[in-house]
Amino acid sequence: MFFLKNMPSPSSVFSAYASLSASFLLFQTMFNQFLPNKAQQFILSAFQYYLSPQLSSNVTLIIEENINGLARNELFEASETYLFTKVTSASAEKLKVSKGSRDQNFTTRFAQCEQIFDSFGGMELKWRFHCQESQKDWKSEDDRASERHYWFELSFHKEHRDKVVLESYLGFILSRAKALKNEKKVVKLYTLAQCSTYGVAKWDSINFEHPSNFNTLAMDTDMKRDIIEDLDRFVRRKEFYKKVGKAWKRGYLLYGPPGTGKSSLIAAMANYLKFDVYDLQLSDLNSDSYLRKVLLATTNRSILVIEDIDCSVDLTTNTQFQCAAGGHGELQLTLSSLLNFIDGLWSSCGDERIIIFTTNHKDRLDPALLRPGRMDMHIHMSYCSFQGFKLLASNYLDINNHHGLFGQIEGLMDNTEVTPAEVAEELMKSEDAEIALSGVVNFLKRKKMEANSTADTKEEKSSAIDVVEAKRMKLEDVMRNSGRKIGRRVVRRKCRQR
């Protein structure tokens, strides 16, 4: 009875509850608006620690996106790939979902500070994803993206640290992530996201959906076979490269006239190996140090492509590159810096990588860039042969049997220089095989006439030059003879005077 008499009235309890709720909301608002993110995280961590003393028996591993801000952390990528398989089954409250215009399925990603729980060998583990931005005055969204810092936190009981986590669990994640990537590998095409001497090198990517492959590539069959055998030999010789003390890299130089299929060959190599492609424009860089950051930000099992290298920068000397595109000023890059990444000390950073240079003029490149160990295989992309034409006809017109016009086309192609791109353009003009092949015949005839006309013009110019040269030599002979005669007359005159 005494207890009931001293109980506060319902109105008093409600008033106290409302006052407490208002105070809490005010404190929460001030906490979120006036305290920096780092201070908030520190206070929450300390509060959680004192409320849950048992957490002191746990240990937390930090897995950052990059190693010392330069090389990509392989364990971060493996953790990201592995944990994506756990997202759908986890009790996550907030996830990021996206879908590209060409993607068949939705892509699920982690949201800020999302938690994922996992178990391994009777051990419970907790993952946490973090993203932090530097507090600066941003000039653009690209700058904002370049300063984001990502990392994972892995928490578990201390007793499992050495035996299970550092030995078994992390090794399992690496192997499992590799298997997942091979199963669902989507080749990516990367391009440089931002160019800043002091910024972190970032690459943007899209799905690489180029349909080229070695079955559809219009090139010599023997050369195609040699390239495939060379690629297979390269990817299976990890221990051999380690044994002989060489970086696990391979260099290819593709040279030849425009339209002969250099880009298509690169796409076929990427699709065959399932290697990501990094398209690098040297004219976008402005220092040796940034070049190293950009190259170190590429991943293993990738192809670094520098197309038309003779057009982007001057590589004929070991002095500073001169930008060919204009508007960028003088580039503070050196040939030695590029060579050092290909086969110097920096070449050991990363494994199973392919470097491809393309050029229309091989003779314009510095010989130091072309020697074995840098460009190991030189591939001449020549004009279209009749064998290449038959493959194109099969691809574009589904002609698998010998056609009546093939003999005429073969005879014309033996004496005419035409690129696969030009032939393909003619084959695309009609779906009717007879019309399309007739167009190829007429096109080859025009090319042959143009070539003969050009040859005749050159011959006429050469003949004209020969005539002019003959007249010049005759005139010189006349002048020399005249000079000798005048000289003899002068001598005779002086002799008479004596």
Side-chain angles (χ1 to χ4, degrees), residues 18-112:
S19 177
L20 182 63
S21 299
S23 300
F24 178 77
L25 290 174
L26 178 62
F27 173 77
Q28 186 181 28
T29 302
M30 295 177 63
F31 181 82
N32 292 331
Q33 291 185 356
F34 295 103
L35 288 181
N37 290 334
K38 290 186 177 180
Q40 295 180 25
Q41 294 177 6
F42 176 78
I43 294 174
L44 291 175
S45 299
F47 185 70
Q48 185 179 21
Y49 174 81
Y50 284 110
L51 287 183
S52 305
Q54 68 274 13
L55 291 180
S56 60
S57 63
N58 285 5
V59 64
T60 300
L61 301 181
I62 306 298
I63 304 174
E64 295 185 308
E65 181 183 16
N66 297 312
I67 301 174
N68 298 327
L70 294 176
R72 183 82 169 169
N73 188 350
E74 183 180 358
L75 184 56
F76 178 90
E77 293 183 341
S79 301
E80 190 175 33
T81 302
Y82 171 73
L83 291 176
F84 286 160
T85 64
K86 301 289 182 178
V87 169
T88 55
S89 60
S91 57
E93 297 181 357
K94 186 185 297 183
L95 297 173
K96 293 181 178 180
V97 181
S98 61
K99 182 182 183 301
S101 58
R102 297 185 178 181
D103 295 337
Q104 296 182 352
N105 301 315
F106 292 100
T107 301
T108 307
R109 294 291 184 267
F110 299 112
Q112 173 75 0

Side-chain angles (χ1 to χ4, degrees), residues 4-208:
L4 294 175
K5 290 181 177 180
N6 289 277
M7 283 185 61
S9 63
S11 60
S12 300
V13 173
F14 181 78
S15 177
Y17 173 76
S19 177
L20 182 63
S21 299
S23 300
F24 178 77
L25 290 174
L26 178 62
F27 173 77
Q28 186 181 28
T29 302
M30 295 177 63
F31 181 82
N32 292 331
Q33 291 185 356
F34 295 103
L35 288 181
N37 290 334
K38 290 186 177 180
Q40 295 180 25
Q41 294 177 6
F42 176 78
I43 294 174
L44 291 175
S45 299
F47 185 70
Q48 185 179 21
Y49 174 81
Y50 284 110
L51 287 183
S52 305
Q54 68 274 13
L55 291 180
S56 60
S57 63
N58 285 5
V59 64
T60 300
L61 301 181
I62 306 298
I63 304 174
E64 295 185 308
E65 181 183 16
N66 297 312
I67 301 174
N68 298 327
L70 294 176
R72 183 82 169 169
N73 188 350
E74 183 180 358
L75 184 56
F76 178 90
E77 293 183 341
S79 301
E80 190 175 33
T81 302
Y82 171 73
L83 291 176
F84 286 160
T85 64
K86 301 289 182 178
V87 169
T88 55
S89 60
S91 57
E93 297 181 357
K94 186 185 297 183
L95 297 173
K96 293 181 178 180
V97 181
S98 61
K99 182 182 183 301
S101 58
R102 297 185 178 181
D103 295 337
Q104 296 182 352
N105 301 315
F106 292 100
T107 301
T108 307
R109 294 291 184 267
F110 299 112
Q112 173 75 0
C113 296
E114 190 55 64
Q115 294 185 110
I116 300 295
F117 293 92
D118 193 19
S119 61
F120 180 80
M123 177 184 59
E124 297 299 323
L125 306 105
K126 183 177 73 172
W127 289 87
R128 196 176 184 90
F129 176 73
H130 291 275
C131 174
Q132 180 181 352
E133 294 185 4
S134 301
Q135 300 296 321
K136 294 182 179 180
D137 294 331
W138 305 108
K139 295 181 179 179
S140 67
E141 183 61 26
D142 291 339
D143 293 333
R144 177 181 292 274
S146 67
E147 295 296 335
R148 288 195 182 110
H149 179 52
Y150 302 94
W151 73 95
F152 285 106
E153 288 184 0
L154 172 60
S155 300
F156 52 90
H157 199 277
K158 286 182 178 180
E159 65 180 4
H160 302 301
R161 179 175 58 184
D162 297 328
K163 184 177 180 180
V164 179
V165 175
L166 296 182
E167 296 177 7
S168 302
Y169 183 60
L170 296 182
F172 164 75
I173 289 178
L174 288 170
S175 60
R176 179 59 182 155
K178 185 175 182 180
L180 290 170
K181 285 184 177 180
N182 291 336
E183 291 173 6
K184 301 180 179 180
K185 174 69 175 180
V186 177
V187 179
K188 297 287 186 178
L189 174 62
Y190 288 84
T191 184
L192 199 59
Q194 62 115 14
C195 183
S196 171
T197 305
Y198 304 103
V200 178
K202 291 288 184 180
W203 292 88
D204 286 336
S205 68
I206 59 173
N207 290 346
F208 185 68

Side-chain angles (χ1 to χ4, degrees), residues 227-272:
I227 295 173
I228 294 175
E229 290 177 353
D230 190 75
L231 293 173
D232 290 337
R233 185 166 50 249
F234 167 72
V235 297
R236 69 170 181 261
R237 301 181 83 182
K238 178 179 180 180
E239 295 302 324
F240 172 79
Y241 276 84
K242 184 178 180 181
K243 175 185 175 182
V244 299
K246 289 177 63 68
W248 195 11
K249 289 182 173 64
R250 189 75 174 159
Y252 295 87
L253 175 69
L254 311 184
Y255 66 98
T260 50
K262 293 186 284 293
S263 298
S264 296
L265 176 57
I266 295 172
M269 295 169 71
N271 290 327
Y272 180 75

